[in-house]
Amino acid sequence: YVSYSESYRPPTILEAFFTGGPPADNVGVAYAPNEDLRSETATTYEIGTNVSLDDVLTGGDSLRLKASAFYREVEDYIVLGTIYTSDVSTRTYQSFVNLDGTTRMKGVELEGNYDTGGFWIGGTASFLDTEWPSKTQVFSNGTTTTSGDIIATAGSVPPRLKLTVDGGMRFFDDRLSLG
């Protein structure tokens, strides 16, 4: 298969209006809302294949395999950033912000599932390479920073490798699944 898509993701309520801080005498870093947060827009190209096999090892079992490669360009990527306000005060705060420029992501996703009816096992592997806008750098420890007054936090950095495993068994004529 081959696909092309365009998407539009408005900021969530949390991203636009999150505010507050920890209760203490010295608040330190607090969270500020950002009502001016712009929506993300993305263009994605994907190519892949699906393989479906039945009765592989036993009668009634199934094997499903999927492999895909994609390329995505995101404008106004939303990250949680630390804002430094040294011109006004020495206080810093965190807020969701848009990265200026285009964030490019390319990757490969592999998925496999085997199901006998009585049990199943499956897993995925995702390999992601992210190219940040020119004002952004990603360091080896996952820290992201910009050349301006905003430093994006590591929580905004998607992992380069993500692995998942899923498995389970079915009981009582498929009325109970434990996985």
Side-chain angles (χ1 to χ4, degrees), residues 15 34 37 76-83 95-99 150-152:
E15 291 169 339
N34 184 357
L37 202 55
D76 295 322
Y77 190 69
I78 297 172
V79 298
L80 181 61
T82 300
I83 314 298
S95 181
F96 285 94
V97 296
N98 295 102
L99 291 182
I150 299 170
I151 294 181

Side-chain angles (χ1 to χ4, degrees), residues 2-174:
V2 175
S3 71
Y4 167 84
S5 65
E6 293 184 15
S7 60
Y8 173 86
R9 187 184 79 80
T12 65
I13 291 174
L14 173 80
E15 291 169 339
F17 301 113
F18 185 50
T19 186
D25 291 338
N26 185 4
V27 175
V29 176
Y31 299 96
N34 184 357
E35 296 89 2
D36 296 321
L37 202 55
R38 296 181 305 275
S39 298
E40 293 178 355
T41 56
T43 302
T44 305
Y45 305 88
E46 184 176 11
I47 186 168
T49 186
N50 292 299
V51 177
S52 297
L53 302 172
D54 294 322
D55 301 324
V56 179
L57 299 176
T58 63
D61 66 349
S62 64
L63 178 65
R64 304 292 185 253
L65 303 170
K66 178 180 179 179
S68 64
F70 65 91
Y71 175 78
R72 177 178 299 125
E73 291 185 349
V74 183
E75 297 293 328
D76 295 322
Y77 190 69
I78 297 172
V79 298
L80 181 61
T82 300
I83 314 298
Y84 293 94
T85 58
S86 58
D87 293 342
V88 179
S89 70
T90 59
R91 184 171 177 158
T92 61
Y93 65 93
Q94 291 187 324
S95 181
F96 285 94
V97 296
N98 295 102
L99 291 182
D100 292 328
T102 304
T103 301
R104 292 174 176 81
M105 299 177 181
K106 59 185 172 185
V108 174
E109 295 178 342
L110 305 172
E111 180 179 350
N113 294 292
Y114 179 71
D115 193 334
T116 66
F119 74 89
W120 75 91
I121 188 163
T124 62
S126 299
F127 307 92
L128 180 65
D129 181 34
T130 304
E131 180 185 318
W132 301 96
S134 60
K135 290 184 180 181
T136 306
Q137 297 174 335
V138 178
F139 300 105
S140 61
N141 64 358
T143 303
T144 304
T145 184
T146 65
S147 60
D149 295 329
I150 299 170
I151 294 181
T153 63
S156 302
V157 179
R160 292 181 63 82
L161 173 63
K162 180 180 177 182
L163 301 172
T164 62
V165 176
D166 178 39
M169 298 181 73
R170 295 180 189 89
F171 301 96
F172 307 114
D173 295 324
D174 294 340

